[in-house]
Amino acid sequence: MAELKTVLTEKAAAVDNKLKELMELKSDELAPILTEAMSYTLFSGGKRIRPVLSLLTVELLGGNYQAALTAGSALEMIHTYSLIHDDLPAMDDDKLRRGKKTNHLVYGEAIAVLAGDALLTYAFQILSELEIADERQVKLINLLARSAGYQGMVGGQVLDIQAENKQLKLEQLQKLQQGKTGALLKAAVLIGVYCSDYQQDQEKALFNYAQNIGILFQIVDDLLDLTGDTAALGKEAGRDEELNKSTYPSLLGLEGAESAAREYAAAAKASLASLSGQTNYLVDLVDYILTRKH
Amino acid sequence: MAELKTVLTEKAAAVDNKLKELMELKSDELAPILTEAMSYTLFSGGKRIRPVLSLLTVELLGGNYQAALTAGSALEMIHTYSLIHDDLPAMDDDKLRRGKKTNHLVYGEAIAVLAGDALLTYAFQILSELEIADERQVKLINLLARSAGYQGMVGGQVLDIQAENKQLKLEQLQKLQQGKTGALLKAAVLIGVYCSDYQQDQEKALFNYAQNIGILFQIVDDLLDLTGDTAALGKEAGRDEELNKSTYPSLLGLEGAESAAREYAAAAKASLASLSGQTNYLVDLVDYILTRKH
């Protein structure tokens, strides 16, 4: 078996290629500056963790790899739109993202808002043009809409705004994070499931896995914001404290948060145990997320 | 046959009821303020012209009325999100919409951005939960994504921003408007078509009808901005001139624009001529749009 790092690099490259293909918008484009602004953040060096999760999952279940690649790329567009809107002056007012100027600093606020809107809309167009059975298509569209909407990512972002300058309880923080970052990570895994002929117990096991790595991912993110530095992160470190946001380390202490991260990592691995056969790279990925440095 | 006005009032009320039902988000809601902000602009007194077009079309073709009502309501959410984002300080910086404060003046810019995002996302969720054959569902989702995206509404909005303080040529203005306002009006009619068992010549005739009333609608909008007053319009009059935007009257003169409006109205009616049988209220609607006062 190839090393996880090699696999992640290969899969991320496949996602990049698919995204490039999808962003060749050809003759029906109205305003080239819009495509440029959409592509600017889409190709700013993201690790493609979400579509890679879709690919590892679809491989595990022996499903439709091409469909998962395209649907995962649509999900990456939704993730990217959320970053563009989240960085706006009225929101987190961030200047740096992956070591580059944020979208609105390059294209202005109006185009940044519209580039986000267009990425979100295009994601649903891509899903509606996916080559897979209609019934699966509808299921995937429903999954992404529910994960990205008022009951998922956008709902979590609103909670995040309301939480500034407030001390949250742990369960409030978890509710916020499960919307803001957890929902799309879960959707990433479920894309892999829904592009396969899956058994219900497989869906359940992978759902639990996704739930656990969603929380793990966020705890590590909070720890990195606290202990990392701007150069390594590619975004300003210490922003959570600056914005007075509740985080896992602020609620649990540094050691408490580190210990929680290890617990969720163990739970994620345990979720996979019930799956018969190979669990391929999804197990190794847990340690990768636990020990990531940016 | 009942008078057109009565029919429009009844249909708009049916849309309002459907929207209210759809906005009862129940237990999966994360942040009540988000739903409140979504509803604020959604229920600010819009005339529901887009979903009403879907309903008149589906009645003409004897299709699935309930599906058209729900899909038309999803389209109204997309229209509403575009108004919220368009009114933002970074965009048109509007203070009034339908006689009420704009969304960001009530809820702040961050929530206004997210309320728009959530309405757009929810529209696709609603379509993915529509009770109609999967294949039709996918067709409707594709229609709305293409109409609202980079090649439709959002693309037109970017052209609109780029056009400020510039003198456009007529064909540039038409391209802009066909994206910004035309695409959703066309989609509204096509929702009625796709919720029915239609013949290709019916689709073509109604497509042409929609194309013509899209332009007609915009010319009248431009004329009203120039000649109407703030109280009647429910939004500030004279904004086009203030923002130095090219409009049909600024390019064709007042009389030229009025004459163009009459021509597109005639063309819209002519498009319907090839349809066999009753063309119900779609004909009368043309005059209604031509002579509207707000």
Side-chain angles (χ1 to χ4, degrees):
Chain A
M1 219 162 80
E3 240 191 277
L4 178 70
K5 264 199 179 167
T6 316
V7 173
L8 294 182
T9 308
E10 279 170 13
K11 297 251 181 289
V15 172
D16 269 347
N17 285 336
K18 177 52 75 177
L19 286 171
K20 270 176 208 147
E21 186 193 313
L22 291 168
M23 286 307 296
E24 279 165 13
L25 300 181
K26 296 164 230 124
S27 57
D28 64 356
E29 174 181 51
L30 284 179
I33 191 76
L34 177 62
T35 321
E36 194 188 312
M38 291 160 81
S39 294
Y40 174 78
T41 305
L42 198 54
F43 299 110
S44 64
K47 293 182 294 293
R48 314 300 189 198
I49 186 79
R50 290 161 194 78
V52 167
L53 270 169
S54 307
L55 292 177
L56 292 178
T57 306
V58 82
E59 273 186 342
L60 176 70
L61 300 176
N64 183 337
Y65 190 87
Q66 283 305 319
L69 178 58
T70 304
S73 298
L75 183 67
E76 186 72 5
M77 288 189 188
I78 295 181
H79 170 59
T80 304
Y81 115 76
S82 80
L83 299 180
I84 296 174
H85 282 190
D86 214 32
D87 287 340
L88 287 169
M91 311 270 277
D92 280 358
D93 195 17
D94 276 313
K95 311 270 181 287
L96 270 182
R97 168 74 66 184
R98 298 169 183 155
K100 294 170 75 178
K101 279 188 195 172
T102 43
N103 199 292
H104 62 273
L105 288 182
V106 179
Y107 295 99
E109 272 181 68
I111 300 287
V113 170
L114 292 168
D117 294 345
L119 281 167
L120 174 59
T121 311
Y122 189 37
F124 287 107
Q125 180 187 329
I126 290 166
L127 292 173
S128 72
E129 291 168 5
L130 201 62
E131 290 181 15
I132 197 170
D134 291 334
E135 167 255 332
R136 290 301 176 102
Q137 236 171 322
V138 170
K139 201 173 170 72
L140 287 165
I141 290 165
N142 191 251
L143 169 71
L144 265 65
R146 285 182 166 269
S147 307
Y150 69 85
Q151 66 281 68
M153 188 181 70
V154 174
Q157 282 177 312
V158 172
L159 292 181
D160 194 39
I161 289 169
Q162 294 184 310
E164 276 177 33
N165 304 312
K166 271 187 205 152
Q167 173 83 7
L168 295 185
K169 288 180 193 145
L170 185 59
E171 63 180 42
Q172 291 175 308
L173 179 65
Q174 283 192 324
K175 188 177 165 191
L176 182 169
Q177 299 295 7
Q178 276 169 28
K180 190 176 156 81
T181 55
L184 286 201
L185 285 163
K186 231 185 290 175
V189 173
L190 289 176
I191 282 174
V193 176
Y194 296 162
C195 289
S196 311
D197 290 321
Y198 59 93
Q199 308 292 326
Q200 279 208 329
D201 59 337
Q202 291 174 318
E203 181 185 12
K204 202 181 158 196
L206 287 160
F207 182 90
N208 287 337
Y209 170 79
Q211 185 112 349
N212 283 307
I213 61 164
I215 303 174
L216 168 62
F217 197 88
Q218 188 59 49
I219 299 176
V220 174
D221 222 53
D222 288 354
L223 284 166
L224 286 173
D225 184 81
L226 190 68
T227 62
D229 66 77
T230 300
L233 293 178
K235 61 182 180 183
E236 291 175 81
R239 287 290 282 160
D240 293 336
E241 222 168 1
E242 222 172 284
L243 295 170
N244 209 359
K245 287 189 176 180
S246 296
T247 63
Y248 285 99
S250 80
L251 291 189
L252 303 175
L254 190 59
E255 278 178 31
E258 284 169 345
S259 139
R262 285 191 298 272
E263 279 168 35
Y264 281 105
K269 288 181 189 174
S271 313
L272 296 173
S274 74
L275 289 171
S276 55
Q278 270 239 47
T279 49
N280 75 351
Y281 296 101
L282 289 175
V283 177
D284 300 342
L285 190 68
V286 175
D287 291 319
Y288 174 82
I289 294 174
L290 182 63
T291 59
R292 74 194 171 98
K293 293 286 170 258
H294 58 89
Chain B
M1 221 164 76
E3 240 191 277
L4 178 70
K5 265 199 179 167
T6 316
V7 172
L8 294 182
T9 308
E10 278 170 14
K11 298 251 180 288
V15 173
D16 269 347
N17 284 336
K18 176 53 75 177
L19 286 170
K20 269 176 207 144
E21 186 193 312
L22 291 167
M23 286 306 296
E24 280 166 14
L25 300 181
K26 298 165 228 121
S27 56
D28 63 357
E29 174 181 51
L30 284 179
I33 191 77
L34 177 62
T35 320
E36 194 188 312
M38 292 160 81
S39 295
Y40 174 78
T41 305
L42 198 54
F43 299 109
S44 64
K47 292 182 295 292
R48 313 302 189 200
I49 186 79
R50 290 159 194 78
V52 167
L53 270 169
S54 307
L55 292 177
L56 293 178
T57 306
V58 82
E59 274 187 341
L60 175 71
L61 301 175
N64 183 336
Y65 190 86
Q66 283 306 317
L69 178 59
T70 304
S73 299
L75 182 67
E76 185 73 5
M77 289 188 188
I78 295 182
H79 169 60
T80 305
Y81 116 76
S82 80
L83 299 180
I84 296 175
H85 282 191
D86 212 32
D87 286 340
L88 287 169
M91 309 271 278
D92 279 357
D93 195 16
D94 277 312
K95 311 270 180 287
L96 270 184
R97 168 73 68 184
R98 298 168 184 157
K100 294 169 75 178
K101 279 188 196 171
T102 44
N103 200 292
H104 62 273
L105 288 182
V106 178
Y107 295 99
E109 271 182 69
I111 300 288
V113 170
L114 293 168
D117 294 345
L119 281 167
L120 174 59
T121 311
Y122 190 37
F124 288 106
Q125 180 187 329
I126 290 166
L127 293 172
S128 73
E129 292 169 4
L130 200 62
E131 290 182 16
I132 196 171
D134 292 334
E135 169 255 331
R136 290 301 176 103
Q137 235 170 323
V138 170
K139 200 173 171 73
L140 287 165
I141 290 165
N142 191 251
L143 168 71
L144 265 65
R146 285 182 166 268
S147 307
Y150 70 85
Q151 67 281 68
M153 187 181 70
V154 174
Q157 282 177 313
V158 173
L159 291 181
D160 194 40
I161 289 169
Q162 294 185 310
E164 277 178 32
N165 303 312
K166 269 187 207 153
Q167 173 83 5
L168 295 184
K169 289 180 193 145
L170 185 60
E171 63 181 42
Q172 291 175 307
L173 178 65
Q174 284 192 324
K175 189 177 164 191
L176 183 168
Q177 298 296 6
Q178 274 168 30
K180 191 176 155 83
T181 54
L184 285 201
L185 285 163
K186 231 185 292 176
V189 172
L190 289 175
I191 282 174
V193 175
Y194 296 162
C195 289
S196 311
D197 290 322
Y198 59 93
Q199 309 291 325
Q200 279 209 328
D201 59 337
Q202 291 175 318
E203 181 186 12
K204 203 182 158 197
L206 287 160
F207 182 90
N208 287 337
Y209 170 78
Q211 185 110 350
N212 283 307
I213 61 163
I215 303 174
L216 169 62
F217 196 87
Q218 188 58 49
I219 299 176
V220 174
D221 222 51
D222 288 354
L223 285 167
L224 286 173
D225 184 79
L226 191 68
T227 61
D229 65 78
T230 300
L233 293 177
K235 61 182 179 183
E236 291 176 80
R239 287 291 282 159
D240 292 335
E241 223 168 1
E242 220 171 285
L243 295 169
N244 209 359
K245 286 189 176 180
S246 297
T247 63
Y248 285 99
S250 80
L251 291 189
L252 302 176
L254 190 61
E255 278 179 30
E258 284 169 346
S259 138
R262 285 190 299 271
E263 277 167 36
Y264 282 105
K269 288 183 191 174
S271 313
L272 296 174
S274 74
L275 290 172
S276 54
Q278 269 239 49
T279 49
N280 75 352
Y281 296 99
L282 289 175
V283 177
D284 300 341
L285 190 67
V286 175
D287 291 319
Y288 174 82
I289 294 175
L290 182 63
T291 57
R292 74 194 171 98
K293 294 284 168 261
H294 57 90

